[in-house]
Amino acid sequence: MNIKSRLTLLFTMLVGSIMALFCLSIYYFYDQYREKQFYSFLNERGQTIAQLVEASNRISKADIAKIEKENNTVLLDEEITIYDGADSVIFNSGSYEFVLTPQMLLDARNGKEIHTKHAKKEVIVIRHILQDHRKPWVVVAIANDHLGTNQLKRLREILVIGWLLSLVLVGVAGWQFSTDAIKPVSDIIAQVNNISAGNLHDKVTVGREKDELALLAQTFNLMLNRLEIAFVAQKNFVSHASHELRTPLALIMSEVEVTLMKARTTEYYEEALKGVLEEAKEMNELVSRLLELARTEEHAFRVTFSKIRIDEVLWQAQASIQQKNPAYHVYINYDQIPENEEELLRYGDESLLKTAFLNLMDNACKYSDNNTVNVFLEIHKDLIKISFKDVGMGIAASELPYVFDTFYRSATTMSKAGYGIGLALTKRIITMQGASIEVESKVGQGSTFILKFPPF
């Protein structure tokens, strides 16, 4: 069963149940009203007959019928029995005699009006107070409410037929309601089916703006944004890899082709193989950097941050860079130690943040004549500021806006080995941590990269 049919069925059952309860309530309360009215009528009839009997000691059923015919009041199919003060029957208008128990007689004389049923007939037991103040009589009136029963039966038929017809109308209305409710979902399905890898930039739209289906469309759009970024990252990785690997592969191929052109000495082959090995190492380093760059793009959507101490990550990066390059000198200036160590905590990914610190330290040492970088760690009103300062070549002001672009290398750094990936990778990592990175530089005086980590 599809959603539309299920919604129609549920809607019809719900509204049908409410209407059934409403019809039953009408039937029940009308029956109560009919019964009350009929008992009131029987009470009046019983009192009237008792008054006639009291007024005439030897009155018969025929006499009462004659009197009522003269007064234009016709008796119903009723039986009235009157008990005197000695509990003897002094009048009985029919062949049927309803036998009262002593308790019922006592309750009736004490003023209690007794309602009951017998042989599908309504029975009322009341007292009649005599004018001479003798012991009250007890009047039993029995009758069958043919008119009220027929009216109740007709009402039942009307309610049942009306309920069935209404159920059909509710079913039709429910189908229209479910069609209208499902239409935005159908639109979303049609739009999503038209989206492929070539048009991930397309967005899912719905006519409504603030309901759950609009939220569903927004969720789809966020998912499409993530997919688009993932596809772009994959495309960029392939593009970057093919572009950057073309040169070392060409060098390796040319080196091998030249070597194979004629017989060479053993020493020549060794030199050629060493050249090939160096190019292979360069390729391996390049691929590693490209993979790190791609990893940050992928990691941005599945990273789980935890509390880390920024200063500890900084010390770890210092130890790693100096172990890898003993000629590098990294000095961490950390004079203002906060009393509350919580001020040094931030949410982030420790391994990625360490990679960013390593890149900044490595660049500063690589492009400085003394292979030295000074790192300054400061706390300013819950803001953590880290500065990486070198006294190297510096960067021209016109080139500063592009230093974080992938594969961009300033004119002053072209003489050094590198790929232009490190700073792009660093900026992505820092941005992922919710921090910012800035650069200040002057040619011939060095550069300063400033990281700022806001509070939680």
Side-chain angles (χ1 to χ4, degrees):
M1 182 182 295
N2 56 31
I3 295 179
K4 183 186 293 187
S5 300
R6 188 158 58 248
L7 281 177
T8 302
L9 180 60
L10 290 175
F11 181 80
T12 304
M13 290 178 61
L14 177 62
V15 178
S17 299
I18 295 174
M19 293 178 60
L21 288 175
F22 180 71
C23 292
L24 289 174
S25 299
I26 292 177
Y27 183 82
Y28 171 78
F29 287 115
Y30 180 79
D31 184 44
Q32 295 295 309
Y33 173 77
R34 176 204 63 79
E35 188 177 81
K36 181 179 178 181
Q37 290 296 102
F38 189 67
Y39 278 126
S40 176
F41 175 76
L42 284 181
N43 189 326
E44 293 178 2
R45 296 286 291 174
Q47 293 290 355
T48 300
I49 300 300
Q51 289 175 1
L52 291 174
V53 173
E54 181 184 3
S56 178
N57 291 331
R58 294 186 178 273
I59 194 169
S60 65
K61 178 179 178 181
D63 295 332
I64 293 175
K66 182 179 179 181
I67 294 172
E68 289 193 342
K69 185 175 182 181
E70 292 174 355
N71 294 328
N72 200 25
T73 58
V74 181
L75 281 171
L76 296 173
D77 181 17
E78 63 184 15
E79 298 178 5
I80 296 178
T81 305
I82 301 176
Y83 293 81
D84 61 9
D87 296 338
S88 299
V89 177
I90 60 174
F91 178 82
N92 187 357
S93 64
S95 59
Y96 178 80
E97 182 178 351
F98 181 77
V99 180
L100 296 180
T101 64
Q103 184 63 43
M104 294 174 69
L105 288 168
L106 179 61
D107 291 340
R109 284 198 175 94
N110 289 333
K112 181 179 179 180
E113 189 172 299
I114 300 173
H115 297 167
T116 184
K117 293 180 183 295
H118 187 77
K120 297 182 179 180
K121 290 186 177 183
E122 315 287 342
V123 179
I124 186 172
V125 182
I126 57 176
R127 72 178 177 178
H128 174 70
I129 299 176
L130 303 173
Q131 294 181 358
D132 56 5
H133 302 295
R134 288 180 296 169
K135 191 174 182 179
W137 290 351
V138 174
V139 180
V140 179
I142 304 174
N144 195 338
D145 186 11
H146 295 291
L147 178 62
T149 302
N150 290 334
Q151 290 177 342
L152 191 64
K153 181 181 178 181
R154 182 59 180 165
L155 175 63
R156 182 169 64 247
E157 293 174 352
I158 292 173
L159 291 176
V160 171
I161 295 173
W163 180 76
L164 292 175
L165 292 176
S166 300
L167 204 61
V168 175
L169 295 177
V170 168
V172 175
W175 182 261
Q176 294 297 325
F177 164 78
S178 61
T179 300
D180 180 68
I182 295 299
K183 186 178 183 300
V185 178
S186 302
D187 293 341
I188 291 175
I189 292 173
Q191 293 179 62
V192 171
N193 285 334
N194 290 328
I195 296 175
S196 61
N199 61 340
L200 286 174
H201 57 276
D202 290 349
K203 297 296 180 286
V204 178
T205 58
V206 292
R208 299 153 182 160
E209 297 182 355
K210 295 184 179 180
D211 59 7
E212 289 78 2
L213 293 176
L215 293 176
L216 176 62
Q218 293 176 11
T219 302
F220 272 119
N221 290 335
L222 291 175
M223 180 188 68
L224 291 173
N225 288 337
R226 293 193 294 270
L227 289 175
E228 183 177 11
I229 293 174
F231 273 100
V232 170
Q234 184 184 31
K235 181 179 179 181
N236 289 340
F237 175 78
V238 173
S239 176
H240 294 159
S242 61
H243 178 269
E244 293 301 318
L245 292 176
R246 184 181 296 114
T247 300
L249 282 173
L251 291 173
I252 291 175
M253 289 172 63
S254 62
E255 183 73 26
V256 173
E257 286 175 353
V258 170
T259 304
L260 294 175
M261 288 177 66
K262 63 178 181 178
R264 307 288 183 177
T265 62
T266 303
E267 291 77 9
Y268 188 92
Y269 284 125
E270 289 180 356
E271 289 299 323
L273 288 175
K274 287 180 180 179
V276 171
L277 179 61
E278 288 301 320
E279 292 298 333
K281 288 181 178 179
E282 291 292 326
M283 288 176 59
N284 182 65
E285 178 67 19
L286 176 60
V287 170
S288 298
R289 304 296 282 179
L290 287 172
L291 288 174
E292 287 181 354
L293 191 63
R295 177 173 172 260
T296 59
E297 294 176 340
E298 177 188 358
H299 206 67
F301 302 103
R302 57 183 181 85
V303 64
T304 54
F305 287 163
S306 60
K307 280 187 177 182
I308 57 175
R309 278 192 55 157
I310 300 298
D311 58 334
E312 291 183 355
V313 180
L314 204 57
W315 292 113
Q316 293 173 15
Q318 181 198 36
S320 296
I321 194 71
Q322 291 184 335
Q323 182 180 6
K324 182 179 179 181
N325 299 285
Y328 288 174
H329 305 287
V330 180
Y331 300 105
I332 298 178
N333 301 276
Y334 184 25
D335 298 329
Q336 300 176 353
I337 302 176
E339 296 181 1
N340 185 9
E341 294 184 354
E342 292 287 330
E343 296 180 7
L344 291 167
L345 295 178
R346 289 295 184 271
Y347 279 107
D349 185 285
E350 184 173 338
S351 64
L352 289 178
L353 193 58
K354 181 180 176 182
T355 299
F357 290 163
L358 282 171
N359 286 338
L360 292 173
M361 293 176 181
D362 182 71
N363 279 357
C365 293
K366 182 191 301 182
Y367 298 116
S368 297
D369 294 335
N370 57 359
N371 295 333
T372 301
V373 60
N374 286 285
V375 183
F376 299 90
L377 176 60
E378 304 171 86
I379 307 290
H380 298 285
K381 295 181 180 180
D382 294 333
L383 180 70
I384 299 178
K385 179 181 177 182
I386 306 176
S387 303
F388 297 80
K389 186 173 183 179
D390 63 59
V391 288
M393 307 172 184
I395 306 171
S398 60
E399 295 180 313
L400 286 178
Y402 310 105
V403 295
F404 296 111
D405 292 348
T406 307
F407 298 114
Y408 181 82
R409 301 187 68 193
S410 64
T412 56
T413 61
M414 294 299 291
S415 59
K416 298 283 187 178
Y419 309 103
I421 298 177
L423 288 180
L425 174 63
T426 299
K427 182 174 177 61
R428 291 185 186 180
I429 293 174
I430 295 302
T431 304
M432 285 172 55
Q433 314 294 314
S436 63
I437 181 170
E438 303 170 0
V439 58
E440 299 173 356
S441 184
K442 290 184 179 180
V443 177
Q445 297 184 18
S447 304
T448 302
F449 288 85
I450 303 169
L451 308 184
K452 294 180 180 179
F453 292 84
F456 292 119

